[in-house]
């Protein structure tokens, strides 16, 4: 099978708004300007009162899973936005490159009430559970797969897909955006279940909902969707299958590690707030 080298841009906007509907509406002009689509939105007011995050997806003309292609995809997008955006530093650790625009006046020119902007380029393939959101007024109706039900045909609970994302950041809100960006590639029903702080890392634990297949199949499908190299061997026991990716050395900012797990529903009572999947030096 040919390797999928297409890149995807994820643009996450933090918006001061009264509610989720208002936050998505505020991003509508930007969505049209960049020919993107809203794929996720969430409440981040626990960290910054009155703030919502809106994630927009757009394909990139760049290809390849190497540093040059990923970084170029982010830089070219910033140039589209204007010279003031193009001055921002781009970091890269395959399978992603990213930058954060922490400039409310600048972001406010793009989105009414915009506070900050995270731009990420990701290498990878198709989306595991689909990305269409029928509630998004900017999206035409799409032929998306139905949501996976909690119970199978026999009434038994399905396995659940879990995600841990370690992010190098000083604030919890700074970890939520990239974690949601990763989650949005796998599910449109991601729920943050826990945070854990291990400076300079913040871990975000997420429940991505029920999944189809056996435990190894679910995890292998998820890491295939996320793409990139350097994933660990699949670890499987009676109730859980897990694989992880980590950057070495740890980047100065952004995603440092990703862990994907499929867990049997009856064994899914354990918390995900244990030690980080990488140490502060970036090694196992």
């Amino acid at each position: 099978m040919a390797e999928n080298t297409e890149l995807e841009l994820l643009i996450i906007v933090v918006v001061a708004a009264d509610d989720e509907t208002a936050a998505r509406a505020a991003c509508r002009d930007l969505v049209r300007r960049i020919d993107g689509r809203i794929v996720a939105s969430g409440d981040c007011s626990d960290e910054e009162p009155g703030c919502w995050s809106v994630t927009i997806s757009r394909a990139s003309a760049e290809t390849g899973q190497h540093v040059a292609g990923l970084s170029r995809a982010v830089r070219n997008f910033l140039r589209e936005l204007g010279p003031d955006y193009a001055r921002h530093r781009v970091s890269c650790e395959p399978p992603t490159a990213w930058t954060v625009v922490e400039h409310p006046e600048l972001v406010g020119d793009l989105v009414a009430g915009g506070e900050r902007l995270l731009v990420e380029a990701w290498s990878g393939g198709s989306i595991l559970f689909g990305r269409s959101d029928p509630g998004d007024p900017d999206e035409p109706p799409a032929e998306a797969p139905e949501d996976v039900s909690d119970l199978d045909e026999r009434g038994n609970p399905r396995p659940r897909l879990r995600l841990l994302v370690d992010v190098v950041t000083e604030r919890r809100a700074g970890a939520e955006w990239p974690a949601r960006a990763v989650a949005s590639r796998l599910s449109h029903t991601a729920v943050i279940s826990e945070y854990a702080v291990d400076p300079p890392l913040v871990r975000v634990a997420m429940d991505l909902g029920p999944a189809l297949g056996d435990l190894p199949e679910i995890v292998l499908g998820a890491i295939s969707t996320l793409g990139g190299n350097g994933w660990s061997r699949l670890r499987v026991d009676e109730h859980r299958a897990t694989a992880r990716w980590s950057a070495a050395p740890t980047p100065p900012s952004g995603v440092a590690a990703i862990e994907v797990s499929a867990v049997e529903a009856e064994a899914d009572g354990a918390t995900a707030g244990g030690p980080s999947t990488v140490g502060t030096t970036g090694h196992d």
Side-chain angles (χ1 to χ4, degrees):
M1 183 181 294
E3 184 179 17
N4 190 331
T5 60
E6 294 180 356
L7 300 185
E8 178 187 21
L9 286 170
L10 287 174
I11 302 96
I12 304 177
V13 189
V14 175
V15 187
D18 292 334
D19 52 33
E20 186 173 9
T21 300
R24 293 167 76 99
C27 294
R28 194 169 301 156
D29 288 344
L30 176 61
V31 170
R32 291 171 179 153
R33 173 177 172 177
I34 67 175
D35 192 24
R37 59 194 183 108
I38 295 174
V39 295
S41 53
D43 183 0
C44 50
S45 59
D46 58 340
E47 181 72 19
E48 298 185 39
C51 282
W52 297 80
S53 65
V54 178
T55 303
I56 303 166
S57 172
R58 196 192 82 167
S60 172
E62 297 295 331
T63 59
Q65 299 183 2
H66 46 78
V67 171
L70 288 164
S71 299
R72 188 164 52 244
V74 176
R75 291 194 184 97
N76 286 347
F77 177 78
L78 293 174
R79 292 189 185 103
E80 287 183 34
L81 298 182
D84 290 332
Y85 296 90
R87 299 189 182 102
H88 286 76
R89 179 177 180 270
V90 176
S91 301
C92 185
E93 187 66 46
T96 184
W98 67 92
T99 191
V100 179
V101 180
E102 298 251 16
H103 197 310
E105 291 185 5
L106 196 58
V107 179
D109 290 339
L110 289 176
V111 174
E115 298 284 344
R116 59 182 60 87
L117 191 73
L118 169 70
V119 181
E120 292 192 327
W122 282 88
S123 60
S126 61
I127 304 305
L128 186 62
F129 295 132
R131 291 281 294 281
S132 176
D133 182 349
D136 179 6
D138 299 307
E139 281 283 288
E143 296 180 2
E146 295 182 1
D147 289 340
V148 179
S149 61
D150 288 327
L151 303 178
D152 63 19
E153 297 80 4
R154 300 179 180 179
N156 298 317
R158 297 188 191 276
R160 299 191 74 83
L161 184 61
R162 295 284 184 170
L163 180 70
L164 301 177
V165 182
D166 286 342
V167 184
V168 181
T169 181
E170 296 180 355
R171 297 184 303 165
R172 199 174 79 176
E176 181 175 340
W177 319 327
R180 286 191 181 278
V182 176
S184 70
R185 297 183 60 83
L186 301 175
S187 172
H188 52 72
T189 58
V191 176
I192 294 177
S193 56
E194 192 171 355
Y195 294 90
V197 180
D198 181 17
L201 300 169
V202 176
R203 161 177 284 188
V204 184
M206 309 186 80
D207 176 11
L208 305 190
L212 298 174
D214 58 27
L215 301 182
E217 180 183 5
I218 293 168
V219 174
L220 290 173
I223 64 177
S224 174
T225 297
L226 292 175
N229 300 316
W231 286 91
S232 70
R233 289 185 178 182
L234 188 66
R235 302 194 307 273
V236 183
D237 61 27
E238 185 179 0
H239 301 295
R240 179 186 296 265
T242 302
R244 68 184 179 92
W245 168 89
S246 60
T250 300
S253 62
V255 175
I258 300 169
E259 184 172 286
V260 179
S261 299
V263 184
E264 292 288 358
E266 58 269 23
D268 196 26
T271 62
S276 170
T277 57
V278 296
T280 57
T281 60
H283 298 289
D284 293 342

